[in-house]
Amino acid sequence: MSQSIVTDTKRNIGIIGNGSWGTALAKILTDNGNAVHWWLRNEESVRYLNEHQQNQHYLKSVKFRKGSVLPTSSLEAFFASCDYIIFCVPAAYAQSVLDRITADMLKGKQLISAIKGILPSSNLLLNDYLHRELGFPLQDYISITGPCHAEEVAAERLSYLTFSCIDESRAALVASFFTNTYLRTTFNHDIWGAQLAAVLKNIYALGAGIAHGLDYGDNFLSVYITNCYREMHRFLLVHFDLVHPSEDRPDMHTSAYLGDLLVTAYSLHSRNRAFGMMIGKGYSVAAASLEMSMVAEGYYASKCMQSVADTLGLDIPIATYIYRILWKGEEPAAVFRNIEELLS
Ligand SMILES: NC(=O)C1=CN([C@@H]2O[C@H](COP(=O)(O)OP(=O)(O)OC[C@H]3O[C@@H](n4cnc5c(N)ncnc54)[C@H](OP(=O)(O)O)[C@@H]3O)[C@@H](O)[C@H]2O)C=CC1
Ligand SMILES: O=C(CO)COP(=O)(O)O
């Protein structure tokens, strides 16, 4: 795609995080004619991006037009330049960035979360953390979810994203920045449901990878995923009753729910599936982590969501079995024999 770069200063968009997804989002935005500010945590990555117009380590097939991305390693300079800030650091590492952000830096900004994880130090979603710790207004927070792998965006294969915000009109506006011929967008006000579903699906998809590694077939996997979806639904309904009683119940018929569970459980691009597959094949968690150059959020989410479920007294048996494999060192084959008995 080629368009001229938008110099409209009212739409200053920035991305925090330089992994595959941050790079894919930068591609969409620059393809749509926006100049994108980009915070990268190390100076060498900034230098490389400036010199080569591509990310040194992730999604190298994406080449940016000169001047379309504006990288910096100074968080202060980055915040001063942006009105819309996309947060795209894996949840496991997000705290190191959050610790450097003050309420003043966030004043007047729209925060767009592209992470599909929960913060391990607090077991909170990013919006709840920012609201509680920095008084950030919940209506200024938009999430991006939906079944979408960075690699397919890089190849401009038709994909769909969901934008959620308490104030639907803001979700609609931000969605419009991303819409183009290979990227369709929808928007809603389901901010907690969409984010929680994204966290949970990573755990279940990692479990699907384990099943795959253990040599279960497609017949088993389809039943496993159906049961995961049912468990996710049960969890969300009770979670909403207990934590967000006045919010609309999540609309599980949208692709941010089933669609994302399916793509993460089945796609060869999925890091959660790949990580799980190694566990199923007998790798230890440490060995599987070493093999991965990218992050499988489901591993960290498994511990966080177990803690959330225990605190609220919620039962998530399949996720608990995955947690026991990942964090309690239980033997995958034996645990999956228990999961077999659970499924219907
Ligand atoms: N990839 C995808 O297709 C999609 C990803 N997402 C979500 O986007 C979020 C970001 O993931 P993604 O872009 O894929 O990440 P990747 O797994 O592609 O890359 C890892 C990122 O983590 C950073 N990182 C690694 N170690 C540390 C550390 N110790 N401290 C701080 N940062 C570190 C890396 O920075 P560095 O290179 O400097 O080490 C890099 O930016 C996740 O929540 C993911 O679930 C959502 C939809 C699709
Ligand atoms: O969220 C994703 C696809 O929608 C990415 O999943 P993985 O992190 O497993 O690659």
Coordinates of all heavy atoms in Angstrom, one line a residue, residues 17-25 39-42 45 55 57-59 87-94 96-97 114-118 144-152 161 198 201-202 260 269 271-272 292-298, ligand 1:
G17 N 7.0 -0.6 22.6 CA 7.3 -2.0 22.5 C 7.6 -2.4 21.0 O 7.0 -1.9 20.1
N18 N 8.7 -3.2 20.9 CA 9.2 -3.4 19.5 C 9.2 -4.9 19.1 O 10.0 -5.3 18.4 CB 10.6 -2.9 19.4 CG 11.6 -3.6 20.3 OD1 11.2 -4.0 21.4 ND2 12.7 -4.0 19.8
G19 N 8.2 -5.7 19.7 CA 8.1 -7.1 19.3 C 7.4 -7.2 18.0 O 7.2 -6.2 17.3
S20 N 6.9 -8.4 17.7 CA 6.3 -8.7 16.4 C 5.0 -7.9 16.3 O 4.6 -7.3 15.2 CB 5.9 -10.2 16.3 OG 6.7 -11.0 17.0
W21 N 4.2 -7.8 17.4 CA 2.9 -7.2 17.3 C 3.0 -5.7 17.2 O 2.3 -5.0 16.4 CB 2.0 -7.6 18.5 CG 0.6 -7.2 18.3 CD1 -0.2 -6.7 19.3 CD2 -0.3 -7.4 17.2 NE1 -1.5 -6.6 18.8 CE2 -1.6 -7.0 17.5 CE3 -0.1 -7.9 15.9 CZ2 -2.7 -7.0 16.7 CZ3 -1.2 -7.9 15.0 CH2 -2.4 -7.5 15.4
G22 N 3.9 -5.1 17.9 CA 4.2 -3.6 17.8 C 4.6 -3.3 16.4 O 4.2 -2.3 15.8
T23 N 5.4 -4.2 15.8 CA 5.9 -4.0 14.4 C 4.7 -4.1 13.4 O 4.6 -3.3 12.5 CB 7.0 -5.0 14.1 OG1 8.0 -4.9 15.1 CG2 7.7 -4.7 12.7
A24 N 3.9 -5.1 13.6 CA 2.7 -5.2 12.7 C 1.8 -4.0 12.8 O 1.3 -3.5 11.8 CB 1.9 -6.5 13.1
L25 N 1.6 -3.5 14.1 CA 0.7 -2.4 14.2 C 1.3 -1.1 13.6 O 0.6 -0.3 13.0 CB 0.4 -2.1 15.7 CG -0.4 -3.2 16.4 CD1 -0.6 -3.0 17.9 CD2 -1.8 -3.4 15.8
W39 N 8.7 3.8 20.7 CA 9.7 3.7 21.8 C 10.2 2.3 21.9 O 9.5 1.3 21.9 CB 9.0 4.0 23.2 CG 10.1 3.9 24.3 CD1 11.0 4.8 24.6 CD2 10.3 2.8 25.2 NE1 11.8 4.3 25.7 CE2 11.4 3.1 26.0 CE3 9.6 1.5 25.3 CZ2 11.8 2.2 27.0 CZ3 10.1 0.7 26.3 CH2 11.2 1.0 27.1
L40 N 11.6 2.2 21.8 CA 12.2 0.9 21.8 C 13.2 0.9 23.1 O 13.7 2.0 23.3 CB 13.1 0.6 20.6 CG 12.3 0.5 19.3 CD1 12.0 1.8 18.6 CD2 13.0 -0.4 18.3
R41 N 13.3 -0.2 23.7 CA 14.0 -0.1 25.0 C 15.5 0.0 24.9 O 16.2 0.4 25.8 CB 13.6 -1.2 25.9 CG 14.1 -2.6 25.5 CD 13.6 -3.6 26.5 NE 14.0 -4.9 26.0 CZ 14.7 -5.8 26.8 NH1 15.1 -5.4 28.0 NH2 15.1 -7.0 26.3
N42 N 16.1 -0.3 23.7 CA 17.5 -0.2 23.7 C 18.0 0.6 22.4 O 17.4 0.6 21.4 CB 18.3 -1.5 23.9 CG 18.2 -2.4 22.7 OD1 18.7 -2.0 21.6 ND2 17.6 -3.5 22.8
S45 N 18.6 -1.0 19.0 CA 17.4 -1.2 18.1 C 17.0 0.1 17.5 O 16.5 0.0 16.3 CB 16.3 -1.8 19.0 OG 16.7 -2.9 19.7
N55 N 12.7 -3.6 11.7 CA 13.0 -4.0 13.0 C 14.2 -5.1 13.0 O 14.1 -6.0 12.2 CB 11.8 -4.6 13.6 CG 11.9 -4.8 15.1 OD1 13.0 -5.0 15.7 ND2 10.7 -4.8 15.8
H57 N 15.0 -7.5 15.0 CA 14.7 -8.8 15.4 C 13.4 -9.4 15.1 O 13.2 -10.6 15.1 CB 14.9 -8.9 17.0 CG 16.3 -8.6 17.4 ND1 17.4 -9.3 17.1 CD2 16.7 -7.5 18.2 CE1 18.5 -8.7 17.6 NE2 18.1 -7.7 18.3
Y58 N 12.4 -8.6 14.9 CA 11.0 -9.1 14.7 C 10.4 -8.6 13.4 O 10.6 -7.5 13.0 CB 10.1 -8.6 15.9 CG 10.7 -8.9 17.2 CD1 11.5 -8.0 17.9 CD2 10.5 -10.2 17.8 CE1 12.1 -8.2 19.1 CE2 11.1 -10.4 19.1 CZ 11.8 -9.5 19.7 OH 12.4 -9.7 20.9
L59 N 9.7 -9.6 12.7 CA 9.0 -9.2 11.5 C 9.8 -8.5 10.5 O 9.5 -7.4 10.0 CB 7.7 -8.4 11.9 CG 6.4 -8.9 11.4 CD1 6.1 -10.3 11.8 CD2 5.3 -8.0 12.0
F87 N 0.2 0.6 23.9 CA 1.1 -0.2 24.8 C 1.2 -1.6 24.3 O 0.2 -2.3 24.3 CB 0.5 -0.1 26.2 CG 1.6 -0.4 27.2 CD1 2.3 0.6 27.8 CD2 1.8 -1.7 27.6 CE1 3.3 0.3 28.8 CE2 2.7 -2.1 28.6 CZ 3.5 -1.0 29.2
C88 N 2.4 -2.0 23.9 CA 2.5 -3.4 23.3 C 3.8 -4.1 23.8 O 4.5 -4.7 23.0 CB 2.6 -3.2 21.8 SG 2.2 -4.7 20.9
V89 N 4.0 -4.0 25.1 CA 5.1 -4.8 25.7 C 4.5 -6.0 26.3 O 3.4 -5.9 27.0 CB 5.8 -3.9 26.8 CG1 6.9 -4.7 27.5 CG2 6.3 -2.7 26.2
P90 N 5.0 -7.2 26.1 CA 4.4 -8.4 26.8 C 4.2 -8.2 28.3 O 5.0 -7.5 28.9 CB 5.4 -9.5 26.6 CG 6.2 -9.1 25.4 CD 6.3 -7.6 25.4
A91 N 3.0 -8.6 28.8 CA 2.6 -8.3 30.1 C 3.7 -8.7 31.1 O 3.9 -8.0 32.1 CB 1.3 -9.1 30.5
A92 N 4.4 -9.8 30.9 CA 5.4 -10.2 31.8 C 6.5 -9.2 32.0 O 7.2 -9.1 33.1 CB 6.1 -11.5 31.3
Y93 N 6.7 -8.3 31.0 CA 7.8 -7.3 31.1 C 7.3 -5.9 31.2 O 8.0 -4.9 31.3 CB 8.7 -7.4 29.8 CG 9.2 -8.7 29.5 CD1 9.1 -9.3 28.3 CD2 10.0 -9.4 30.5 CE1 9.6 -10.6 28.1 CE2 10.5 -10.7 30.3 CZ 10.3 -11.2 29.0 OH 10.8 -12.5 28.8
A94 N 6.0 -5.8 31.3 CA 5.3 -4.4 31.2 C 5.7 -3.6 32.4 O 5.8 -2.4 32.3 CB 3.8 -4.6 31.1
S96 N 8.3 -3.1 34.1 CA 9.6 -2.3 34.0 C 9.3 -1.0 33.3 O 10.0 0.0 33.5 CB 10.7 -3.1 33.4 OG 10.3 -3.5 32.1
V97 N 8.4 -1.0 32.4 CA 8.1 0.3 31.6 C 7.1 1.1 32.5 O 7.2 2.3 32.6 CB 7.4 0.0 30.3 CG1 7.1 1.2 29.5 CG2 8.4 -0.9 29.4
A114 N -2.5 -3.1 23.4 CA -2.4 -4.2 22.4 C -1.9 -5.5 23.1 O -1.7 -6.5 22.4 CB -1.5 -3.8 21.3
I115 N -1.8 -5.4 24.4 CA -1.3 -6.6 25.1 C -2.4 -7.6 25.3 O -3.5 -7.2 25.6 CB -0.5 -6.3 26.4 CG1 -1.4 -5.8 27.5 CG2 0.7 -5.4 26.1 CD1 -0.6 -5.7 28.8
K116 N -2.1 -8.9 25.3 CA -3.0 -9.9 25.6 C -2.5 -10.7 26.8 O -2.1 -11.8 26.8 CB -3.3 -10.9 24.5 CG -4.0 -10.2 23.3 CD -4.2 -11.1 22.2 CE -5.1 -10.5 21.1 NZ -5.1 -11.3 19.9
G117 N -2.4 -10.0 27.9 CA -1.9 -10.6 29.1 C -2.3 -9.8 30.3 O -3.0 -8.7 30.2
I118 N -2.0 -10.3 31.5 CA -2.3 -9.7 32.8 C -1.0 -9.4 33.5 O -0.1 -10.2 33.4 CB -3.3 -10.6 33.5 CG1 -3.9 -10.0 34.7 CG2 -2.8 -12.0 33.8 CD1 -5.2 -10.7 35.2
I144 N -7.1 -3.4 22.0 CA -7.2 -4.1 20.7 C -7.1 -5.6 20.9 O -6.2 -6.1 21.5 CB -6.0 -3.7 19.8 CG1 -5.8 -2.2 19.7 CG2 -6.1 -4.3 18.4 CD1 -4.6 -1.7 18.9
T145 N -8.1 -6.3 20.4 CA -8.2 -7.7 20.5 C -8.6 -8.3 19.2 O -8.8 -7.6 18.2 CB -9.1 -8.2 21.7 OG1 -10.4 -7.7 21.4 CG2 -8.6 -7.8 23.0
G146 N -8.8 -9.6 19.2 CA -9.3 -10.2 17.9 C -8.2 -11.2 17.4 O -7.0 -11.1 17.7
P147 N -8.7 -12.2 16.6 CA -7.8 -13.2 16.1 C -6.9 -12.6 15.0 O -7.3 -12.3 13.9 CB -8.7 -14.2 15.5 CG -10.0 -13.5 15.2 CD -10.1 -12.3 16.1
C148 N -5.6 -12.4 15.3 CA -4.7 -11.7 14.4 C -3.3 -12.0 14.7 O -2.8 -11.6 15.8 CB -5.0 -10.2 14.5 SG -4.6 -9.3 13.0
H149 N -2.6 -12.7 13.8 CA -1.2 -12.9 14.0 C -0.4 -11.9 13.2 O -0.7 -11.6 12.1 CB -0.8 -14.3 13.6 CG -1.0 -15.3 14.7 ND1 -1.9 -16.3 14.7 CD2 -0.3 -15.4 15.9 CE1 -1.9 -17.0 15.8 NE2 -0.9 -16.5 16.6
A150 N 0.7 -11.4 13.9 CA 1.5 -10.4 13.3 C 2.0 -10.8 11.9 O 2.1 -10.0 11.0 CB 2.7 -10.1 14.2
E151 N 2.4 -12.1 11.8 CA 3.0 -12.6 10.5 C 2.0 -12.4 9.4 O 2.4 -12.1 8.2 CB 3.4 -14.0 10.7 CG 4.5 -14.3 11.7 CD 4.1 -14.2 13.1 OE1 2.9 -14.1 13.4 OE2 5.0 -14.4 14.0
E152 N 0.7 -12.6 9.6 CA -0.3 -12.5 8.5 C -0.5 -11.0 8.2 O -0.8 -10.7 7.0 CB -1.6 -13.3 8.9 CG -1.3 -14.8 9.0 CD -2.6 -15.6 8.7 OE1 -3.7 -15.0 8.6 OE2 -2.4 -16.8 8.7
L161 N -9.8 -6.9 13.5 CA -9.4 -6.6 14.9 C -10.7 -5.9 15.6 O -11.5 -5.3 14.9 CB -8.3 -5.5 14.9 CG -6.9 -6.1 14.6 CD1 -5.9 -4.9 14.5 CD2 -6.4 -7.1 15.6
A198 N -8.9 -12.6 26.0 CA -7.6 -12.7 25.3 C -6.6 -13.4 26.3 O -5.7 -14.1 25.8 CB -7.1 -11.3 24.9
K201 N -7.6 -17.2 26.6 CA -7.4 -18.1 25.4 C -6.0 -18.5 25.2 O -5.7 -19.5 24.6 CB -8.0 -17.4 24.1 CG -7.3 -16.1 23.6 CD -6.1 -16.3 22.7 CE -5.4 -15.0 22.5 NZ -4.1 -15.2 21.7
N202 N -5.1 -17.6 25.7 CA -3.6 -18.0 25.6 C -3.3 -19.2 26.4 O -2.5 -20.1 26.0 CB -2.8 -16.8 26.0 CG -2.6 -15.7 25.0 OD1 -2.8 -16.0 23.8 ND2 -2.3 -14.5 25.4
D260 N -10.4 -15.9 18.4 CA -9.0 -15.8 18.9 C -8.6 -17.1 19.6 O -7.4 -17.5 19.5 CB -8.9 -14.6 19.9 CG -7.5 -14.0 19.9 OD1 -6.6 -14.6 19.1 OD2 -7.2 -13.1 20.6
H269 N 1.5 -20.0 13.5 CA 2.2 -18.8 13.9 C 2.1 -18.7 15.4 O 2.8 -17.8 16.0 CB 1.5 -17.6 13.3 CG 1.7 -17.5 11.8 ND1 2.9 -17.5 11.2 CD2 0.7 -17.4 10.8 CE1 2.7 -17.4 9.9 NE2 1.4 -17.4 9.6
R271 N 2.6 -18.6 19.2 CA 3.7 -18.9 20.1 C 3.2 -19.7 21.3 O 4.0 -20.5 21.8 CB 4.3 -17.6 20.7 CG 5.1 -16.8 19.7 CD 4.3 -15.8 18.8 NE 3.4 -15.0 19.5 CZ 3.8 -13.8 20.1 NH1 5.1 -13.4 19.9 NH2 3.0 -13.0 20.7
N272 N 1.9 -19.5 21.7 CA 1.4 -20.3 22.8 C 1.3 -21.8 22.4 O 1.7 -22.6 23.2 CB 0.1 -19.7 23.3 CG 0.2 -18.4 24.0 OD1 0.7 -18.4 25.2 ND2 -0.1 -17.3 23.4
M292 N 12.3 -20.3 22.6 CA 11.5 -19.3 22.0 C 12.2 -18.0 22.0 O 12.7 -17.5 23.0 CB 10.2 -19.1 22.9 CG 9.3 -20.3 23.0 SD 8.0 -20.4 21.9 CE 7.2 -18.8 22.1
S293 N 12.2 -17.3 20.8 CA 12.7 -16.0 20.8 C 11.6 -14.9 21.1 O 11.9 -13.8 21.2 CB 13.4 -15.7 19.4 OG 12.4 -15.9 18.4
M294 N 10.4 -15.4 21.1 CA 9.3 -14.5 21.4 C 8.6 -15.0 22.7 O 9.0 -15.9 23.3 CB 8.3 -14.5 20.2 CG 9.0 -14.0 18.9 SD 7.8 -13.9 17.5 CE 7.8 -15.6 17.0
V295 N 7.5 -14.3 23.0 CA 6.9 -14.5 24.3 C 5.5 -15.3 24.2 O 4.7 -14.9 23.4 CB 6.6 -13.2 25.0 CG1 5.9 -13.3 26.3 CG2 8.0 -12.5 25.3
A296 N 5.4 -16.3 25.0 CA 4.1 -17.1 25.1 C 3.4 -16.5 26.4 O 3.7 -16.9 27.5 CB 4.3 -18.6 25.2
E297 N 2.5 -15.6 26.2 CA 1.8 -15.0 27.3 C 1.1 -16.0 28.2 O 0.9 -15.8 29.4 CB 0.8 -13.9 26.8 CG 1.4 -12.7 26.2 CD 1.7 -11.6 27.3 OE1 1.8 -12.0 28.5 OE2 1.8 -10.4 27.0
G298 N 0.6 -17.1 27.6 CA -0.2 -18.1 28.3 C 0.5 -18.7 29.5 O -0.1 -19.0 30.5
Ligands
LIG1 N1 2.6 -11.5 17.9 C1 1.3 -11.5 17.6 O1 0.9 -12.0 16.6 C2 0.4 -10.8 18.6 C3 0.8 -10.5 19.9 N2 -0.1 -9.9 20.7 C4 0.3 -9.4 22.0 O2 1.2 -8.3 21.9 C5 2.0 -8.3 23.1 C6 3.4 -8.1 22.7 O3 3.9 -9.3 22.1 P1 4.8 -9.3 20.8 O4 4.9 -8.0 20.1 O5 4.2 -10.4 20.0 O6 6.2 -9.7 21.4 P2 7.3 -10.7 20.9 O7 7.2 -12.0 21.6 O8 7.3 -10.7 19.4 O9 8.6 -10.0 21.3 C7 9.1 -9.9 22.6 C8 9.1 -8.5 23.1 O10 9.4 -8.5 24.5 C9 10.5 -7.6 24.8 N3 11.3 -8.1 25.9 C10 11.9 -9.3 26.0 N4 12.5 -9.3 27.2 C11 12.2 -8.2 27.8 C12 12.6 -7.7 29.1 N5 13.3 -8.4 30.0 N6 12.1 -6.5 29.5 C13 11.3 -5.7 28.6 N7 11.0 -6.2 27.4 C14 11.4 -7.4 27.0 C15 11.3 -7.6 23.5 O11 12.1 -6.5 23.4 P3 13.7 -6.6 23.0 O12 13.6 -7.0 21.5 O13 14.2 -5.3 23.2 O14 14.3 -7.7 23.8 C16 10.2 -7.6 22.5 O15 9.7 -6.3 22.3 C17 1.7 -9.6 23.9 O16 0.8 -9.3 24.9 C18 1.0 -10.5 22.8 O17 0.2 -11.4 23.4 C19 -1.4 -9.6 20.3 C20 -1.9 -10.0 19.1 C21 -1.0 -10.6 18.1

